[in-house]
Amino acid sequence: MQKIQLSFLSLLLLLLVAWEQPQKRENPYGLKIVSGMSAYHQLVKENPSQNLVDLEITIKGLRLDIRYATTNNFTGQVIYPSPKAYLRLPAAEALAGIQRELKSIGLGLKIYDAYRPYAVTLKFFEVYPDTTFVASPLTGSKHNRGCAVDLTLIDLASGAEKEMPSTFDDFTEKASHSYRNASPAAIANRQLLREIMTKYGFLPYESEWWHYDFKDWKNYPIMDLSFNECANNKL
Ligand SMILES: [Zn+2]
């Protein structure tokens, strides 16, 4: 009887180990991550606000400069296969409101980065393991949730970027909202971007003037859908 119980327990243990292992392989940090299109579609079916939308389609007149689709970024490598910007539906709608309001003063938005697959966050941390500027793989980035955006202001007519205290991904104190040693115009532009983003429900990140998190980011899980998966499914 005891033998039978023991074999039953061993079997149970084996089953548990077998069940645990694929999850661990996918995610060594114990994070809950949505990967694969069927998991994503299930999520959207349960709650349409989980939709990851293409910002170029949703926001009229939006400019993109997706640096991770070029070598002009801190890794020096092309990370994304295409220059695309995706955000969760409510965040995209909020950004569309900002673009509309900016238009009335002759300004617009230019996006450097939006949704970022979790696999890319792992790669960034390998290249630059400083959690002030690069998200820890332990928590993931709000970019992985389709709820963070890196952006700047442009003159709508010419497309020229407005002066800011630093360039995008300048990993120095110049990136901080508290950096005061910039021109008055740069400080005013940084402040204008902060005010309008905050008004529409985005939260500033004090260490990077270009990065904003959508306020409800906790409601959106981390995802590891590649850009190719997003493009093929016409999100
Ligand atoms: Zn960012």
Side-chain angles (χ1 to χ4, degrees), residues 119-135:
V120 172
T121 288
L122 292 182
K123 190 180 175 75
F124 283 0
F125 192 73
E126 259 173 49
V127 175
Y128 199 88
D130 175 349
T131 54
T132 304
F133 295 105
V134 170

Side-chain angles (χ1 to χ4, degrees), residues 62-79:
L62 188 73
R63 299 283 185 113
L64 301 187
D65 179 12
I66 306 301
R67 294 291 183 85
Y68 302 126
T70 73
T71 54
N72 182 18
N73 65 66
F74 75 96
T75 68
Q77 298 170 35
V78 174
I79 304 287

Side-chain angles (χ1 to χ4, degrees), residues 113 116 141 143 148-150 168 208 210-212:
D113 193 26
R116 181 187 303 159
S141 162
H143 284 286
V149 62
D150 298 333
F168 168 64
E208 297 174 349
W210 58 82
H211 176 108
Y212 286 86

Side-chain angles (χ1 to χ4, degrees), residues 67-100:
R67 294 291 183 85
Y68 302 126
T70 73
T71 54
N72 182 18
N73 65 66
F74 75 96
T75 68
Q77 298 170 35
V78 174
I79 304 287
Y80 297 160
S82 51
K84 301 293 285 179
Y86 303 100
L87 280 182
R88 253 38 196 257
L89 181 62
E93 284 172 343
L95 215 55
I98 296 168
Q99 177 82 350
R100 273 195 301 275

Side-chain angles (χ1 to χ4, degrees), residues 43 117 152 185 187 189 210:
L43 198 68
T152 194
I187 290 173
N189 290 332
W210 58 82

Side-chain angles (χ1 to χ4, degrees), residues 23-230:
Q23 283 193 326
K24 276 187 183 156
R25 261 206 305 275
E26 271 173 38
N27 172 28
Y29 298 98
L31 278 178
K32 229 178 159 181
I33 295 174
V34 174
S35 58
M37 290 314 286
S38 63
Y40 166 74
H41 287 311
Q42 184 59 34
L43 198 68
V44 174
K45 206 172 134 192
E46 286 162 14
N47 180 357
S49 75
Q50 296 283 342
N51 236 312
L52 202 56
V53 301
D54 185 331
L55 295 187
E56 269 181 310
I57 295 170
T58 314
I59 306 174
K60 223 180 133 201
L62 188 73
R63 299 283 185 113
L64 301 187
D65 179 12
I66 306 301
R67 294 291 183 85
Y68 302 126
T70 73
T71 54
N72 182 18
N73 65 66
F74 75 96
T75 68
Q77 298 170 35
V78 174
I79 304 287
Y80 297 160
S82 51
K84 301 293 285 179
Y86 303 100
L87 280 182
R88 253 38 196 257
L89 181 62
E93 284 172 343
L95 215 55
I98 296 168
Q99 177 82 350
R100 273 195 301 275
E101 186 168 332
L102 284 172
K103 196 180 171 198
S104 66
I105 51 168
L107 298 178
L109 296 171
K110 183 195 257 188
I111 310 293
Y112 296 126
D113 193 26
Y115 164 68
R116 181 187 303 159
Y118 178 71
V120 172
T121 288
L122 292 182
K123 190 180 175 75
F124 283 0
F125 192 73
E126 259 173 49
V127 175
Y128 199 88
D130 175 349
T131 54
T132 304
F133 295 105
V134 170
S136 162
L138 287 169
T139 55
S141 162
K142 286 152 193 118
H143 284 286
N144 305 146
R145 297 171 186 266
C147 283
V149 62
D150 298 333
L151 79 181
T152 194
L153 293 172
I154 55 162
D155 181 87
L156 207 51
S158 68
E161 289 184 10
K162 301 299 284 182
E163 185 187 352
M164 289 291 180
S166 79
T167 53
F168 168 64
D169 270 357
D170 177 325
F171 293 165
T172 71
E173 78 279 1
K174 287 183 186 173
S176 165
H177 277 276
S178 58
Y179 182 71
R180 304 299 305 169
N181 199 16
S183 76
I187 290 173
N189 290 332
R190 181 181 70 196
Q191 186 59 21
L192 173 62
L193 182 61
R194 184 179 174 127
E195 277 166 18
I196 198 158
M197 292 297 285
T198 309
K199 180 179 170 186
Y200 283 81
F202 286 90
L203 310 168
Y205 176 52
E206 295 302 332
S207 302
E208 297 174 349
W209 63 259
W210 58 82
H211 176 108
Y212 286 86
D213 296 319
F214 188 57
K215 63 179 171 55
D216 297 329
W217 60 268
K218 278 198 182 105
N219 301 339
Y220 302 88
I222 290 175
M223 302 206 293
D224 201 13
L225 307 176
S226 70
F227 270 37
N228 285 335
E229 283 178 303
C230 294

